[in-house]
Amino acid sequence: MSTSEIATVLAWHDAVNSNDIDTLVQLSSDDIVLPTPDDDPDQGLDELREWATTAGVTLQPGRMFVHRGVVVVEETATWASDPGPREEAIAFRVVDDQVVTVVRHTDLAEAFEATGLSEADLYEE
């Protein structure tokens, strides 16, 4: 298990939460794939920049699970459009210290099913 994937995902969270677009772009691959509400994913750094400047989201990471470049994070997400906190899970694919894919899931069970990870992949410092 590599901690570099965890460090990348935590730095990505920090960049989103502080609206640090330059750092967010540096931590993301040129062809990053992002979820959209209509299930038709967006791709690329231009889409990432637009999402990061308009989403109005704060992500509070909780437990993290990691295996072979996939990191699943239990999240408390707060959106400007829906300010009540929402529990969800986000799956990240990290390659060469860059986030290449971000997939939102309604809960941890759904994220585990989609990624093949499990409680056994819990990251502990």
Side-chain angles (χ1 to χ4, degrees):
M1 166 181 349
S2 172
T3 59
S4 71
E5 289 97 352
I6 296 292
T8 298
V9 168
L10 288 174
W12 200 91
H13 278 75
D14 288 345
V16 167
N17 292 341
S18 64
N19 203 28
D20 183 350
I21 306 305
D22 291 337
T23 299
L24 187 63
V25 166
Q26 290 173 358
L27 292 167
S28 304
S29 71
D30 292 346
D31 58 351
I32 187 170
V33 177
L34 301 162
T36 61
D38 61 7
D39 291 329
D40 186 21
D42 287 336
Q43 187 169 0
L45 293 177
D46 288 339
E47 296 293 336
L48 175 65
R49 281 185 195 95
E50 182 176 337
W51 173 81
T53 57
T54 62
V57 66
T58 301
L59 300 171
Q60 179 62 46
R63 293 188 309 161
M64 294 180 284
F65 304 82
V66 60
H67 187 74
R68 294 186 181 174
V70 175
V71 180
V72 170
V73 183
E74 282 185 310
E75 304 276 1
T76 301
T78 306
W79 297 83
S81 61
D82 180 17
R86 183 179 344 167
E87 301 299 318
E88 58 185 33
I90 300 179
F92 297 85
R93 178 87 172 137
V94 179
V95 176
D96 297 328
D97 297 325
Q98 289 192 314
V99 174
V100 298
T101 306
V102 180
V103 180
R104 291 177 58 205
H105 298 279
T106 56
D107 58 28
L108 195 57
E110 181 182 289
F112 283 167
E113 184 175 329
T115 63
L117 272 66
S118 71
E119 290 282 347
D121 298 305
L122 178 65
Y123 172 75
E124 298 183 62
E125 293 184 63

